[in-house]
Amino acid sequence: MAVMTMVEAIRAGLGAALEGDERVLLLGQDIGVNGGVFRATEGLQERFGAERVVDMPLAEAVIVGSAVGLACSGLVPIPELQFLGFGSQAFHQIEGQVARMRFRSQGAYPMPMVLRAPFGGNVRTPELHSDAHEAKYVNAPGLKVVMPATAHDAKGMLTEAIRDPDPVLFCEPLRGYRLISDEVPEGDYTVPLGRARTVREGSDLVIVAYSAAVVVATRAAERAGEEGYSVGVLDLRSLVPLDVDALREAVAGCGRALVLHEAPLSAGFGAELVATIQEEAFWSLEAPVLRVTAYDAPYPPGGIEERYVPSVERVLAGVRTALEA
Amino acid sequence: MAVMTMVEAIRAGLGAALEGDERVLLLGQDIGVNGGVFRATEGLQERFGAERVVDMPLAEAVIVGSAVGLACSGLVPIPELQFLGFGSQAFHQIEGQVARMRFRSQGAYPMPMVLRAPFGGNVRTPELHSDAHEAKYVNAPGLKVVMPATAHDAKGMLTEAIRDPDPVLFCEPLRGYRLISDEVPEGDYTVPLGRARTVREGSDLVIVAYSAAVVVATRAAERAGEEGYSVGVLDLRSLVPLDVDALREAVAGCGRALVLHEAPLSAGFGAELVATIQEEAFWSLEAPVLRVTAYDAPYPPGGIEERYVPSVERVLAGVRTALEA
Amino acid sequence: MGAGVTATDAAAAPRCLLAPDGTVADGHVPALDDAGLLDAWRAMRLSRTVDARCFSLQRQGRLGTYSSVNGEEAAVVGSAWALDPARDWVVPQYRELPAMLRQGYTLVRALQYFMGFPAGNHMGEGVNLLPYQISLAAQIPHAVGLAWGLRHQGSDGVVCCYFGDGASSEGDAHEALNLAGVRRAPVVFVLKNNGWAISTPVRRQTAASSFADRAAGYGMPGELVDGNDLLAMHDATTRAVARARAGDGPTLIEARTYRMGPHNTSDDPTRYVDAAELEERRAADPLVRLRRHLDARGLTDDAAEAALEAEHKALVDAAVAEAEATPPLGPAAMFDHVFARPPQRLDDQRAVAEAADPPEMP
Amino acid sequence: MGAGVTATDAAAAPRCLLAPDGTVADGHVPALDDAGLLDAWRAMRLSRTVDARCFSLQRQGRLGTYSSVNGEEAAVVGSAWALDPARDWVVPQYRELPAMLRQGYTLVRALQYFMGFPAGNHMGEGVNLLPYQISLAAQIPHAVGLAWGLRHQGSDGVVCCYFGDGASSEGDAHEALNLAGVRRAPVVFVLKNNGWAISTPVRRQTAASSFADRAAGYGMPGELVDGNDLLAMHDATTRAVARARAGDGPTLIEARTYRMGPHNTSDDPTRYVDAAELEERRAADPLVRLRRHLDARGLTDDAAEAALEAEHKALVDAAVAEAEATPPLGPAAMFDHVFARPPQRLDDQRAVAEAADPPEMP
Ligand SMILES: Cc1ncc(C[n+]2csc(CCOP(=O)(O)OP(=O)(O)O)c2C)c(N)n1
Ligand SMILES: Cc1ncc(C[n+]2csc(CCOP(=O)(O)OP(=O)(O)O)c2C)c(N)n1
Ligand SMILES: [Mg+2]
Ligand SMILES: [Mg+2]
């Protein structure tokens, strides 16, 4: 197996999908000639032509909204939001249309679409490019939300998401595009949606994370190990479907949990995780489940973002607090 | 004191604000000649003229976006979203602009605006009119979110919100506009943001709710009383600021809690409440905090909505479960 | 072509082929033959009957919110009758029932929809039609994508997309029209300017002298048409469909008509509509105009219209009876069709809901 | 007026007053006198120097993402110099630094902004200017509301709102232009068509032959102007400002110019820009054109430009030094100014953050 960066794995997955299913079509800003501002679609327009890898006008609502129509015509559109933060411009189309069309039409118009969107901090982007909006989409019923943390899962879950007849919001960690790399099978494979991945076992506490935060969680767990604590890491992989069983078992195993994400605290997805854990594993909890998240403030300018995005140190401090509780 | 319906109380609050502060200006769809589709602004255009109660084109993003500019010019705009569900069309302006302008400009451009928006189910409206989107706005730092449950609080918190220099999303329960009525002082008064209200004391369990759900919670608590349980009800009144102390004390007092809202379960605001409760009152919890919410499905057509919106029966069943746990 | 449409053209009167007195403009040979004209007339007449019945049903608490077509029949029927339902699609807003019925949607489903039954939002197997759109203008991007997708797959189908003067102010309308121009998507945009968005008159909706003026800014032809004129609407749409089918791209048609009744069953237009204006507009009733023309051609008369109305009343009675016989909904109705592969969590919620409340048996 | 602007006008060449060879169109008397011309020239020249320095600073890791004005100086300066900074406002996108500086924003703050210091986004006390807008087109509704609010309070101030050809496709652009028409808001919309939205050429952005064609659809005048022509930009904006000030409402100006460099410091235009096209456009450099005119009028020469450039380099050196001397940011920078009355919960988070990491002392 070849080692690939996450962006290479995604590119490979997209290429294979275009190759294998002529109904598949990519649309977005700068994805064609330019190969995407992060090169996720590099070379795909040359290979598959401008009618299957389509450069779109600068208008998120119609990138998503026309994808709804493309799906109604029988195609499998893969729109790209250049940044998840600009999904807000299409929010009414995503939560009001993409997520509901199948239900609204009583099954007549399924939405087998995958909405790709990079997000995440500590890459010194301008304002609004780093925001982690996942919780807002989880609270939009009808949508599946996938947030891979490895190159292997990125390709495998992207392939699965494209084949899944339901609409999927596929969030890609900006910071991980090149920093995250691991072994990725050359050929066709899928990783199911809704199955969490145990990154490491731990008997004292489990850190629950997703996307690039899994890297931070793992480093913190290693550091905690050096301090004599046995800390596990659970990578959720997808928020919808949510692997409730894995959460229950992970917490039952050690009695303590910490949830981690890049989004602000209040009504962030971490709240859902804490609520689910205490509903499912209340009697095995030995201490409150702790949340380590960004603060309830807007994503700040680059000069201070390292302090806003949860760092290994903050997670480690949280681990200590949780274990001393 | 006169007994008023909630919509009358809101109208009174808006009238007083226009009367008392010439910087105040109302803008929205059908709020002028028509007095608002729910009559919340009835008579105000006659009293204050078409330049202070302004009928707008059918475009939510510019209703909110122009309010940002009006605020930059030194005015206090009160835009109305005809329905909270259509706030999604303005989501980028609300979470990306209104909520951040003060921080972005380092205090140069405060946003003393109040965004009014009715929401809520069981009134047989067409699709997308009933959706409870509050959690999505709580997860948008920079915004305050107010959800009154009584006519008294509606006028008092609206007045406070208008005077508050920060932007406030003020959610009004459609079902409560006429069904909810209580004593409202004629004159000027305010109800502070961030102070929950104890609707009734209870020694066995507390139901935490907001907006129209408080009515359902109270009925359920009464029914539970008939079954011999002592169930309290806490009305949060505002989600941002959140009265964490009141939550802690309410739960500390009885050791059991149930959170209730009209929005879907996953990543709904109930998750934040459960997370906060277990962080703040873990050691006093005698059972898992239970969530009674809508299902993780889109708001359904009118023929089935009574089963989707949490009913007194569902809450009561939840109370029994929580108390038998 | 319309790319040459200017403020000056727009300031000019809307294109009219059937005069208020029922006479056809000199030299114009209507594409609709006698049979076609009568078919259109019947659809317009039926629409009036359905409107009246739905209003009374709503008043009796037997139907939810309803918005009537009342006054806009020529705009809807004239455009829809230029389509080939077998390959062309209709993407409606919510006030175009005659166009939906022509595509193959049934009156029973329509009544089910307004009664709050999910089944009413299934347009029917093989019917080239998208559901009602409540989120204003959200359907316009769908129409463009649908047209693009059809063409991408080698079909020569055309999409007819309806939206109102109010919806035209939404960002989605702009983004969609612009994309249609860029992709030369086979769409006919029928902007029904009925004078009102609930209580908002068009002059407060836009300062443009005609919505047709928007077309040039998207590089497509625009045409201002008398929306109460069946022939002019049919003629303009026929030309636009031909152009779209030939691969020459989209067209924007402004159908200037008038909402002769309240916005919907919960609206009270006496609060904002000038009575005199309403009377004047009622005089321009598209049914009256067409009836004059049919009379002149000896295609109908009072007796025939009375018979037709009776026939339609019976038809609607039967549909109402069938719709009201729809089995009551159980919890399953909240969960069916949300996902093709529901998350475990939703299935668990469904199980709880069904256990608490077993679905009634039909 | 522009409400008469049609596809035909638009197909015509953009309005030009200063020919590429530096000669002024017959009969035109520039509103800018010698002093005004030199002032504008200095601003354009300074912009070039700032662009070059910011690029090199970014390459050295001393600055974040930067988008240069390079090539659009006449479009920005020509329009901004028609404003009265004491009462008129500028609402920028992110590529209009010379206009911001004229309003009173400082180079030091600009550098702080691009270095990632929050202070750089405070435009300065009493400066009639909104911050950079990263969310494309989101500033256009703000500009309309601001203009409406100024008028509402009896000011005769005018708002000049900049946005790009890419931003023009966003729904916000449409909703805002339409509202401006309805409210006759005193706004001058300067749509800078620089040929590109990152890698997307204008022909894929819209099928319109000119963005000025959009004006008629909003009931406002529209004008297509040579954006590399300082005099034509100044003339068109001066007329639009006068109209807005007089209460006659908004104007849409399409400034047709060209982005002579990469989209920003992380872009590689060689992937998508045709080298020949770029060379051809570089030949139309607005600075070269103005310099020819100034030379002809004996207002400058090589020596003077060299001296000016040296002066600007020193000025930028000083600003960079000052910006880099900004005290490092502590946790407070994440919490200050989020709310006027922060929720207790946020204050608690702040306390934790500051305890964990005491803010450095200046
Ligand atoms: C996005 C959105 N905003 C507001 C509403 C509420 N609303 C329903 S109908 C309507 C007026 C629509 O006017 P128009 O588009 O002209 O259609 P008409 O009713 O005149 O046929 C409004 C404001 C809505 N349904 N969707
Ligand atoms: C709403 C939104 N979508 C996407 C982006 C990413 N983006 C930044 S600049 C840009 C191109 C802008 O083009 P244009 O408006 O023509 O301005 P220019 O850069 O040419 O001056 C894009 C797509 C963004 N910043 N905002
Ligand atoms: Mg209308
Ligand atoms: Mg551009």
Side-chain angles (χ1 to χ4, degrees), chain A residues 161-180:
Chain A
I162 294 168
R163 294 173 188 173
D164 190 292
D166 298 312
V168 176
L169 176 66
F170 190 84
C171 302
E172 307 169 0
L174 270 175
R175 205 171 11 140
Y177 269 147
R178 279 164 187 76
L179 288 183
I180 293 175

PDB file of all heavy atoms in Angstrom, chain A residues 161-180:
ATOM      1  N   ALA A 161     -19.629   7.364   0.726  1.00  0.00           N
ATOM      2  CA  ALA A 161     -20.593   8.476   0.722  1.00  0.00           C
ATOM      3  C   ALA A 161     -21.173   8.687  -0.676  1.00  0.00           C
ATOM      4  O   ALA A 161     -22.364   8.939  -0.835  1.00  0.00           O
ATOM      5  CB  ALA A 161     -19.918   9.753   1.216  1.00  0.00           C
ATOM      6  N   ILE A 162     -20.320   8.533  -1.694  1.00  0.00           N
ATOM      7  CA  ILE A 162     -20.791   8.724  -3.070  1.00  0.00           C
ATOM      8  C   ILE A 162     -21.788   7.623  -3.438  1.00  0.00           C
ATOM      9  O   ILE A 162     -22.789   7.870  -4.096  1.00  0.00           O
ATOM     10  CB  ILE A 162     -19.600   8.749  -4.054  1.00  0.00           C
ATOM     11  CG1 ILE A 162     -18.726   9.978  -3.792  1.00  0.00           C
ATOM     12  CG2 ILE A 162     -20.094   8.725  -5.492  1.00  0.00           C
ATOM     13  CD1 ILE A 162     -17.380   9.971  -4.494  1.00  0.00           C
ATOM     14  N   ARG A 163     -21.548   6.420  -2.929  1.00  0.00           N
ATOM     15  CA  ARG A 163     -22.462   5.311  -3.235  1.00  0.00           C
ATOM     16  C   ARG A 163     -23.701   5.330  -2.351  1.00  0.00           C
ATOM     17  O   ARG A 163     -24.727   4.730  -2.691  1.00  0.00           O
ATOM     18  CB  ARG A 163     -21.735   3.985  -3.080  1.00  0.00           C
ATOM     19  CG  ARG A 163     -20.644   3.831  -4.120  1.00  0.00           C
ATOM     20  CD  ARG A 163     -19.783   2.604  -3.891  1.00  0.00           C
ATOM     21  NE  ARG A 163     -18.640   2.636  -4.822  1.00  0.00           N
ATOM     22  CZ  ARG A 163     -17.635   1.787  -4.777  1.00  0.00           C
ATOM     23  NH1 ARG A 163     -17.618   0.817  -3.859  1.00  0.00           N
ATOM     24  NH2 ARG A 163     -16.642   1.891  -5.638  1.00  0.00           N
ATOM     25  N   ASP A 164     -23.636   6.002  -1.228  1.00  0.00           N
ATOM     26  CA  ASP A 164     -24.773   6.081  -0.313  1.00  0.00           C
ATOM     27  C   ASP A 164     -25.873   6.908  -0.992  1.00  0.00           C
ATOM     28  O   ASP A 164     -25.613   7.999  -1.514  1.00  0.00           O
ATOM     29  CB  ASP A 164     -24.342   6.736   1.000  1.00  0.00           C
ATOM     30  CG  ASP A 164     -25.408   6.625   2.090  1.00  0.00           C
ATOM     31  OD1 ASP A 164     -26.479   7.260   1.942  1.00  0.00           O
ATOM     32  OD2 ASP A 164     -25.168   5.908   3.073  1.00  0.00           O
ATOM     33  N   PRO A 165     -27.108   6.392  -0.995  1.00  0.00           N
ATOM     34  CA  PRO A 165     -28.194   7.124  -1.673  1.00  0.00           C
ATOM     35  C   PRO A 165     -28.643   8.396  -0.950  1.00  0.00           C
ATOM     36  O   PRO A 165     -29.424   9.174  -1.493  1.00  0.00           O
ATOM     37  CB  PRO A 165     -29.339   6.102  -1.721  1.00  0.00           C
ATOM     38  CG  PRO A 165     -29.022   5.097  -0.681  1.00  0.00           C
ATOM     39  CD  PRO A 165     -27.544   5.090  -0.490  1.00  0.00           C
ATOM     40  N   ASP A 166     -28.141   8.615   0.254  1.00  0.00           N
ATOM     41  CA  ASP A 166     -28.528   9.807   1.015  1.00  0.00           C
ATOM     42  C   ASP A 166     -27.494  10.913   0.865  1.00  0.00           C
ATOM     43  O   ASP A 166     -26.327  10.654   0.576  1.00  0.00           O
ATOM     44  CB  ASP A 166     -28.695   9.434   2.494  1.00  0.00           C
ATOM     45  CG  ASP A 166     -29.788   8.399   2.709  1.00  0.00           C
ATOM     46  OD1 ASP A 166     -30.889   8.591   2.151  1.00  0.00           O
ATOM     47  OD2 ASP A 166     -29.535   7.381   3.393  1.00  0.00           O
ATOM     48  N   PRO A 167     -27.910  12.172   1.087  1.00  0.00           N
ATOM     49  CA  PRO A 167     -26.966  13.290   0.973  1.00  0.00           C
ATOM     50  C   PRO A 167     -25.971  13.297   2.128  1.00  0.00           C
ATOM     51  O   PRO A 167     -26.343  13.049   3.274  1.00  0.00           O
ATOM     52  CB  PRO A 167     -27.863  14.524   1.021  1.00  0.00           C
ATOM     53  CG  PRO A 167     -29.100  14.082   1.731  1.00  0.00           C
ATOM     54  CD  PRO A 167     -29.272  12.616   1.423  1.00  0.00           C
ATOM     55  N   VAL A 168     -24.715  13.548   1.795  1.00  0.00           N
ATOM     56  CA  VAL A 168     -23.648  13.525   2.793  1.00  0.00           C
ATOM     57  C   VAL A 168     -22.864  14.833   2.737  1.00  0.00           C
ATOM     58  O   VAL A 168     -22.454  15.278   1.663  1.00  0.00           O
ATOM     59  CB  VAL A 168     -22.677  12.354   2.532  1.00  0.00           C
ATOM     60  CG1 VAL A 168     -21.504  12.390   3.518  1.00  0.00           C
ATOM     61  CG2 VAL A 168     -23.403  11.001   2.622  1.00  0.00           C
ATOM     62  N   LEU A 169     -22.688  15.453   3.904  1.00  0.00           N
ATOM     63  CA  LEU A 169     -21.760  16.571   4.024  1.00  0.00           C
ATOM     64  C   LEU A 169     -20.415  15.977   4.426  1.00  0.00           C
ATOM     65  O   LEU A 169     -20.306  15.339   5.474  1.00  0.00           O
ATOM     66  CB  LEU A 169     -22.232  17.577   5.076  1.00  0.00           C
ATOM     67  CG  LEU A 169     -21.280  18.740   5.363  1.00  0.00           C
ATOM     68  CD1 LEU A 169     -21.124  19.652   4.154  1.00  0.00           C
ATOM     69  CD2 LEU A 169     -21.760  19.549   6.570  1.00  0.00           C
ATOM     70  N   PHE A 170     -19.429  16.141   3.564  1.00  0.00           N
ATOM     71  CA  PHE A 170     -18.125  15.498   3.754  1.00  0.00           C
ATOM     72  C   PHE A 170     -17.114  16.590   4.087  1.00  0.00           C
ATOM     73  O   PHE A 170     -16.711  17.368   3.213  1.00  0.00           O
ATOM     74  CB  PHE A 170     -17.742  14.760   2.467  1.00  0.00           C
ATOM     75  CG  PHE A 170     -16.553  13.861   2.586  1.00  0.00           C
ATOM     76  CD1 PHE A 170     -16.693  12.565   3.066  1.00  0.00           C
ATOM     77  CD2 PHE A 170     -15.295  14.297   2.218  1.00  0.00           C
ATOM     78  CE1 PHE A 170     -15.592  11.712   3.160  1.00  0.00           C
ATOM     79  CE2 PHE A 170     -14.185  13.460   2.305  1.00  0.00           C
ATOM     80  CZ  PHE A 170     -14.346  12.157   2.779  1.00  0.00           C
ATOM     81  N   CYS A 171     -16.730  16.674   5.375  1.00  0.00           N
ATOM     82  CA  CYS A 171     -15.851  17.757   5.833  1.00  0.00           C
ATOM     83  C   CYS A 171     -14.394  17.317   5.827  1.00  0.00           C
ATOM     84  O   CYS A 171     -14.065  16.271   6.382  1.00  0.00           O
ATOM     85  CB  CYS A 171     -16.253  18.201   7.233  1.00  0.00           C
ATOM     86  SG  CYS A 171     -17.951  18.752   7.336  1.00  0.00           S
ATOM     87  N   GLU A 172     -13.545  18.124   5.189  1.00  0.00           N
ATOM     88  CA  GLU A 172     -12.131  17.796   5.040  1.00  0.00           C
ATOM     89  C   GLU A 172     -11.276  18.789   5.812  1.00  0.00           C
ATOM     90  O   GLU A 172     -11.440  19.993   5.656  1.00  0.00           O
ATOM     91  CB  GLU A 172     -11.776  17.820   3.545  1.00  0.00           C
ATOM     92  CG  GLU A 172     -12.707  16.938   2.716  1.00  0.00           C
ATOM     93  CD  GLU A 172     -12.558  17.124   1.205  1.00  0.00           C
ATOM     94  OE1 GLU A 172     -11.728  17.950   0.765  1.00  0.00           O
ATOM     95  OE2 GLU A 172     -13.292  16.447   0.456  1.00  0.00           O
ATOM     96  N   PRO A 173     -10.360  18.283   6.666  1.00  0.00           N
ATOM     97  CA  PRO A 173      -9.558  19.191   7.486  1.00  0.00           C
ATOM     98  C   PRO A 173      -8.461  19.882   6.677  1.00  0.00           C
ATOM     99  O   PRO A 173      -7.521  19.231   6.217  1.00  0.00           O
ATOM    100  CB  PRO A 173      -8.955  18.267   8.546  1.00  0.00           C
ATOM    101  CG  PRO A 173      -8.897  16.927   7.885  1.00  0.00           C
ATOM    102  CD  PRO A 173     -10.053  16.864   6.938  1.00  0.00           C
ATOM    103  N   LEU A 174      -8.596  21.192   6.517  1.00  0.00           N
ATOM    104  CA  LEU A 174      -7.595  21.990   5.806  1.00  0.00           C
ATOM    105  C   LEU A 174      -6.184  21.663   6.256  1.00  0.00           C
ATOM    106  O   LEU A 174      -5.274  21.433   5.468  1.00  0.00           O
ATOM    107  CB  LEU A 174      -7.824  23.472   6.127  1.00  0.00           C
ATOM    108  CG  LEU A 174      -8.749  24.251   5.225  1.00  0.00           C
ATOM    109  CD1 LEU A 174      -8.938  25.653   5.780  1.00  0.00           C
ATOM    110  CD2 LEU A 174      -8.115  24.302   3.842  1.00  0.00           C
ATOM    111  N   ARG A 175      -6.032  21.645   7.584  1.00  0.00           N
ATOM    112  CA  ARG A 175      -4.692  21.447   8.145  1.00  0.00           C
ATOM    113  C   ARG A 175      -4.171  20.047   7.824  1.00  0.00           C
ATOM    114  O   ARG A 175      -2.972  19.819   7.733  1.00  0.00           O
ATOM    115  CB  ARG A 175      -4.748  21.655   9.655  1.00  0.00           C
ATOM    116  CG  ARG A 175      -3.448  22.072  10.268  1.00  0.00           C
ATOM    117  CD  ARG A 175      -3.649  22.480  11.723  1.00  0.00           C
ATOM    118  NE  ARG A 175      -4.966  22.116  12.224  1.00  0.00           N
ATOM    119  CZ  ARG A 175      -5.199  21.638  13.438  1.00  0.00           C
ATOM    120  NH1 ARG A 175      -4.188  21.440  14.270  1.00  0.00           N
ATOM    121  NH2 ARG A 175      -6.419  21.362  13.830  1.00  0.00           N
ATOM    122  N   GLY A 176      -5.129  19.125   7.654  1.00  0.00           N
ATOM    123  CA  GLY A 176      -4.721  17.749   7.416  1.00  0.00           C
ATOM    124  C   GLY A 176      -4.432  17.417   5.969  1.00  0.00           C
ATOM    125  O   GLY A 176      -3.825  16.383   5.676  1.00  0.00           O
ATOM    126  N   TYR A 177      -4.843  18.285   5.059  1.00  0.00           N
ATOM    127  CA  TYR A 177      -4.682  17.977   3.631  1.00  0.00           C
ATOM    128  C   TYR A 177      -3.294  17.451   3.306  1.00  0.00           C
ATOM    129  O   TYR A 177      -3.138  16.471   2.592  1.00  0.00           O
ATOM    130  CB  TYR A 177      -4.964  19.217   2.781  1.00  0.00           C
ATOM    131  CG  TYR A 177      -6.398  19.372   2.323  1.00  0.00           C
ATOM    132  CD1 TYR A 177      -6.957  20.639   2.182  1.00  0.00           C
ATOM    133  CD2 TYR A 177      -7.196  18.276   2.012  1.00  0.00           C
ATOM    134  CE1 TYR A 177      -8.272  20.805   1.737  1.00  0.00           C
ATOM    135  CE2 TYR A 177      -8.505  18.434   1.570  1.00  0.00           C
ATOM    136  CZ  TYR A 177      -9.039  19.690   1.426  1.00  0.00           C
ATOM    137  OH  TYR A 177     -10.330  19.851   0.984  1.00  0.00           O
ATOM    138  N   ARG A 178      -2.277  18.140   3.849  1.00  0.00           N
ATOM    139  CA  ARG A 178      -0.905  17.707   3.584  1.00  0.00           C
ATOM    140  C   ARG A 178      -0.204  17.128   4.811  1.00  0.00           C
ATOM    141  O   ARG A 178       0.656  16.275   4.697  1.00  0.00           O
ATOM    142  CB  ARG A 178      -0.102  18.870   2.983  1.00  0.00           C
ATOM    143  CG  ARG A 178      -0.360  19.010   1.497  1.00  0.00           C
ATOM    144  CD  ARG A 178       0.057  20.305   0.866  1.00  0.00           C
ATOM    145  NE  ARG A 178      -0.402  20.336  -0.527  1.00  0.00           N
ATOM    146  CZ  ARG A 178      -1.690  20.554  -0.867  1.00  0.00           C
ATOM    147  NH1 ARG A 178      -2.583  20.773   0.069  1.00  0.00           N
ATOM    148  NH2 ARG A 178      -2.052  20.538  -2.148  1.00  0.00           N
ATOM    149  N   LEU A 179      -0.645  17.568   6.006  1.00  0.00           N
ATOM    150  CA  LEU A 179       0.029  17.085   7.228  1.00  0.00           C
ATOM    151  C   LEU A 179      -0.343  15.645   7.561  1.00  0.00           C
ATOM    152  O   LEU A 179       0.461  14.909   8.127  1.00  0.00           O
ATOM    153  CB  LEU A 179      -0.309  17.999   8.412  1.00  0.00           C
ATOM    154  CG  LEU A 179       0.346  19.380   8.384  1.00  0.00           C
ATOM    155  CD1 LEU A 179       0.001  20.162   9.643  1.00  0.00           C
ATOM    156  CD2 LEU A 179       1.858  19.234   8.251  1.00  0.00           C
ATOM    157  N   ILE A 180      -1.570  15.269   7.231  1.00  0.00           N
ATOM    158  CA  ILE A 180      -1.998  13.898   7.533  1.00  0.00           C
ATOM    159  C   ILE A 180      -1.682  13.003   6.348  1.00  0.00           C
ATOM    160  O   ILE A 180      -2.091  13.278   5.221  1.00  0.00           O
ATOM    161  CB  ILE A 180      -3.511  13.842   7.837  1.00  0.00           C
ATOM    162  CG1 ILE A 180      -3.816  14.589   9.138  1.00  0.00           C
ATOM    163  CG2 ILE A 180      -4.001  12.400   7.885  1.00  0.00           C
ATOM    164  CD1 ILE A 180      -5.291  14.697   9.465  1.00  0.00           C
TER     165      ILE A 180
END
